[in-house]
Amino acid sequence: MKTSIATVSLSGSLTEKLAAIQAAGYDGIEIFEQDFIAFDGAPRDVGRMVRDHGLEITLFQPFRDFEGLPEPYRTKAFDRAMRKFDLMAELGTDLVLFCSSCHPRALGGIDRAADDFAALGERAAKRGMRVGYEALAWGKHVDDHRDAWEIVRRANHPNIGLILDSFHTLGRGIDPETIRRIPGDKIFFVQLADAPKIDMDLLYWSRHFRNMPGEGDLPVTDFMRAVMATGYSGPISLEIFNDQFRGGSTTGVARDGYRSLIALMDDVRRAEPSLALDLDPIPARVPTQGVAFVEFATRGDEARALERQLATLGFARAGSHVNKAVTLWQQGDIRIVVNEETEGHAGASYNARGTTVCDIGLSVTDAAATVARARALGTEAFSQATGPGELDIPAIRGNSGSVLHFIDPASGLDRVWEVEFGATARPTGAGLTRIDHLAQTMSYEDMLGWTLFYTSLFEMRKSPMVDVFDPDGLVRSQVVEAPDGALRVTLNGADSHRTLAGRFLSDSFGASVQHIALATDDIFATCETLAGQGFEPLVMPQNYYDDLAARFDIAPELLARMQALNILYDADERGTYFQCYSRAFAGGLFFEIVERAPAYVGFGAPNAPFRIAAQKRASRAKGIPAR
Ligand code: MG
Ligand code: MG
């Protein structure tokens, strides 16, 4: 099965796009005329350049406003088509997309359109060209693939076929099951795009908000299952118009697209086991059992400050690495690794960002299979030389230069703490038991890519995006989580450097973990213990508790206890959530302590504006710029 992407999906010059498309692993491209209008070279040179990158031109597009026209427009449309066939011959491609007409003079009539395509098919055949007809969701007379198919069927010409586009079918709410009635050999090409569910004008939605399959809310898998059931064997191609992608990283968006296609086709293969698909099987999405460790790259005074922070949170130093300047801090099932190495990934991360989370370890059932799936999805494996007595733990590079390690019990990799750190005890400290969630901050442009990263590799689902109000701007937040809540990650996208998240981002040079939430079964007992050992919570103001008293029915004694310990509160119909934040350290990192009633599914989002305002107040009080 060939993979392809439309050049309009990416930012940059044609040369940059081709390099990124080749590097991501695609077989071909859909080319738009505007791509080489700006390019200083003849169409023949463009074609050669594409092939020099090991790519083929799978489709030339678009040709607009062809069918159903009265004279003299009809003759002009045919003349225009002949010139495009000449251009295609120079480029070295034989397939062109004709989209359904939006011409104000188009007459309509299935047979009139079919006659036009039959006549066009004759001329195309003489030049060895094929024409695919696509129903635009906003076409004047044809806006449904079923009508486009009827036109192609009646045109009855071997050089005339149908082009399906998941956006045009699903965006109009047309049942994709209707595709199963179309013979696969009459489908010349398939374009794929997803989109977030937003109620807006179809054309505007299509031109600005399309995204990669799996990044939006449309049932693209159902669409593709129906396509593959027809026996279709042509390319699958991404055609994504998205404002963020047009301004985003060329290589990053190309890689995300490839990842989305491979994950989609794997889902199709699993959902339609009786179809013999031309696909290499890849390991299934990986269930995760939670965060095995969080590793900080740090050094010197900053390392001592981090260790003091950990000690006041009830962590104990549980071991030191056999070969490296790395220590393990533990409490319950939470492991924090403090890495002061000046070489390798940790050293490089510290040099680039200062104290930062440089590595996340996840517990999985099969670490090797996790890396195998990640690699099939176009993710780079990560490895570093191992010293004597060290285990070789499988790892990958995540987005934005991050690293993830995978630990499983089957291969004995979960013995790493004992083997490399000599750690045998399991300190209980102040009652913190496990990591409830990790919060990653990134620029808004990077959010979709991170969501796809998690949901394509792991058994995780995404929640709808919500807005969090920082006094200085907006932060968008999305949750990805394992079905049982064993792993929860909140992704926060900042688009203003004045927001707390935005400042953290500009100071840390790219996406990274900004806060780590630690779970306790009794937040009052934990916070009282911590208060006795010097833990400094983020101080919440009186008006926060006044607001709580107004919004919830909380007993006055409980409210007083919460206020005394700076504990925040939220509740939904399923349960309650208590939170307490640490002061920020090392450029805006912080910890959160949470007690979650099992059924409560949120993250205290209503409290975020209060928390952000309190953090900004705290940093102003310390005389340092708000972070
Ligand atoms: Mg299309
Ligand atoms: Mg949180």
Side-chain angles (χ1 to χ4, degrees):
M1 176 128 260
K2 281 182 182 162
T3 55
S4 164
I5 184 169
T7 47
V8 280
S9 313
L10 303 175
S11 64
S13 67
L14 183 59
T15 329
E16 288 163 342
K17 292 179 186 191
L18 291 177
I21 292 167
Q22 177 186 30
Y26 296 88
D27 301 301
I29 61 163
E30 290 179 35
I31 199 157
F32 275 57
E33 209 163 351
Q34 70 228 46
D35 264 320
F36 54 90
I37 287 171
F39 177 75
D40 187 21
R44 201 173 294 280
D45 300 327
V46 173
R48 193 179 314 116
M49 197 165 91
V50 173
R51 285 183 290 279
D52 284 348
H53 282 83
L55 300 166
E56 64 177 276
I57 301 175
T58 54
L59 180 74
F60 175 72
Q61 76 137 321
F63 190 98
R64 299 182 193 283
D65 299 334
F66 168 73
E67 78 281 16
L69 287 169
E71 291 298 352
Y73 305 101
R74 184 177 184 276
T75 301
K76 280 190 186 146
F78 273 84
D79 289 347
R80 218 159 30 92
M82 295 312 112
R83 285 201 298 279
K84 295 300 173 199
F85 289 158
D86 293 341
L87 181 61
M88 289 163 62
E90 286 206 37
L91 281 169
T93 184
D94 73 335
L95 181 62
V96 56
L97 177 146
F98 276 47
C99 50
S100 60
S101 183
C102 298
H103 197 288
R105 309 298 280 269
L107 294 167
I110 292 277
D111 283 323
R112 179 177 292 104
D115 289 347
D116 286 345
F117 277 110
L120 183 70
E122 280 303 295
R123 300 189 198 190
K126 287 201 183 94
R127 302 190 184 212
M129 298 294 168
R130 296 178 303 140
V131 173
Y133 182 47
E134 174 197 61
L136 288 182
W138 51 87
K140 188 163 192 263
H141 301 291
V142 174
D143 59 10
D144 184 322
H145 69 250
R146 291 166 293 195
D147 295 330
W149 161 235
E150 185 56 21
I151 288 167
V152 167
R153 195 182 70 78
R154 293 191 189 203
N156 192 24
H157 194 285
N159 292 57
I160 302 293
L162 185 68
I163 292 184
L164 293 168
D165 180 320
S166 62
F167 181 88
H168 293 299
T169 293
L170 303 173
R172 279 181 53 84
I174 298 165
D175 183 1
E177 290 300 297
T178 56
I179 291 169
R180 292 184 193 250
R181 308 168 192 163
I182 303 168
D185 64 342
K186 290 304 285 181
I187 304 172
F188 280 4
F189 202 77
V190 172
Q191 296 179 313
L192 292 164
D194 203 336
K197 270 238 156 62
I198 314 174
D199 197 14
M200 65 164 74
D201 171 67
L202 274 172
L203 177 58
Y204 195 81
W205 188 29
S206 171
R207 293 272 163 86
H208 300 273
F209 290 93
R210 288 184 178 213
N211 54 27
M212 304 299 177
E215 291 183 344
D217 303 315
L218 300 178
V220 182
T221 309
D222 295 343
F223 172 90
M224 206 55 214
R225 287 174 61 180
V227 168
M228 297 316 289
T230 69
Y232 174 74
S233 59
I236 47 169
S237 189
L238 297 165
E239 188 199 26
I240 317 288
F241 307 102
N242 180 299
D243 295 345
Q244 284 163 247
F245 297 171
R246 282 192 196 104
S249 147
T250 313
T251 50
V253 174
R255 184 202 56 209
D256 288 350
Y258 184 78
R259 176 171 295 159
S260 78
L261 285 180
I262 301 298
L264 171 70
M265 294 313 291
D266 182 52
D267 290 341
V268 169
R269 185 175 66 85
R270 289 172 194 283
E272 300 276 347
S274 44
L275 298 177
L277 301 180
D278 173 26
L279 291 171
D280 295 330
I282 66 174
R285 273 191 185 74
V286 182
T288 63
Q289 283 81 45
V291 180
F293 69 88
V294 173
E295 181 168 329
F296 283 89
T298 185
R299 224 169 281 170
D301 290 347
E302 290 183 26
R304 301 294 81 74
L306 172 60
E307 289 176 342
R308 271 196 304 280
Q309 177 80 259
L310 291 172
T312 67
L313 278 161
F315 283 86
R317 187 198 290 256
S320 297
H321 195 271
V322 284
N323 303 320
K324 298 178 186 160
V326 182
T327 54
L328 170 67
W329 290 72
Q330 191 168 351
Q331 179 170 192
D333 288 328
I334 311 164
R335 291 182 183 85
I336 307 279
V337 176
V338 178
N339 189 330
E340 290 186 75
E341 287 286 300
T342 53
E343 306 281 306
H345 173 66
S349 301
Y350 180 83
N351 291 340
R353 300 175 168 179
T355 295
T356 186
V357 171
C358 65
D359 199 335
I360 295 170
L362 296 180
S363 298
V364 296
T365 37
D366 185 342
T370 309
V371 173
R373 178 166 175 99
R375 295 200 65 174
L377 294 171
T379 312
E380 209 184 314
F382 172 84
S383 71
Q384 240 170 210
T386 48
E390 293 175 19
L391 304 181
D392 189 9
I393 299 177
I396 59 167
R397 274 202 186 276
N399 292 3
S400 315
S402 62
V403 166
L404 289 97
H405 275 87
F406 303 110
I407 293 188
D408 64 26
S411 56
L413 294 173
D414 62 340
R415 289 176 46 247
V416 62
W417 313 114
E418 210 182 305
V419 174
E420 293 190 18
F421 291 85
T424 45
R426 185 175 172 281
T428 50
L432 296 174
T433 55
R434 54 182 293 274
I435 290 180
D436 181 87
H437 63 275
L438 297 174
Q440 283 181 268
T441 295
M442 58 203 59
S443 69
Y444 178 57
E445 290 76 44
D446 294 335
M447 275 186 91
L448 287 172
W450 271 103
T451 307
L452 182 68
F453 172 81
Y454 282 113
T455 57
S456 62
L457 180 53
F458 303 107
E459 273 184 13
M460 291 178 90
R461 59 181 176 221
K462 62 180 196 281
S463 70
M465 210 175 271
V466 297
D467 294 337
V468 175
F469 294 96
D470 179 298
D472 294 311
L474 189 68
V475 176
R476 292 188 180 83
S477 186
Q478 181 157 44
V479 178
V480 285
E481 60 186 330
D484 57 0
L487 177 62
R488 302 184 182 99
V489 183
T490 61
L491 308 173
N492 299 297
D495 54 7
S496 157
H497 288 309
R498 295 179 63 223
T499 59
L500 190 82
R503 278 180 182 271
F504 174 76
L505 194 60
S506 61
D507 289 355
S508 63
F509 303 101
S512 70
V513 172
Q514 186 171 14
H515 81 256
I516 300 168
L518 312 169
T520 170
D521 295 330
D522 183 346
I523 196 166
F524 292 95
T526 296
C527 287
E528 270 157 18
T529 306
L530 295 184
Q533 54 197 51
F535 172 71
E536 290 188 294
L538 180 71
V539 175
M540 297 305 294
Q542 177 69 44
N543 59 18
Y544 171 71
Y545 293 95
D546 292 344
D547 180 66
L548 272 191
R551 284 194 292 136
F552 296 102
D553 195 15
I554 305 174
E557 313 80 68
L558 181 61
L559 196 66
R561 276 189 87 193
M562 286 162 57
Q563 186 166 4
L565 293 166
N566 291 288
I567 290 171
L568 296 82
Y569 176 82
D570 188 35
D572 60 18
E573 59 282 3
R574 288 158 293 195
T576 56
Y577 190 61
F578 294 95
Q579 308 167 267
C580 178
Y581 291 100
S582 78
R583 303 272 176 92
F585 66 99
L589 290 158
F590 56 96
F591 288 97
E592 178 186 358
I593 298 166
V594 310
E595 182 189 331
R596 174 191 292 278
Y600 176 89
V601 292
F603 296 83
N607 291 326
F610 296 100
R611 184 259 299 167
I612 291 164
Q615 285 173 318
K616 286 192 164 178
R617 254 194 318 276
S619 58
R620 274 198 301 273
K622 275 167 60 183
I624 55 171
R627 290 176 181 283

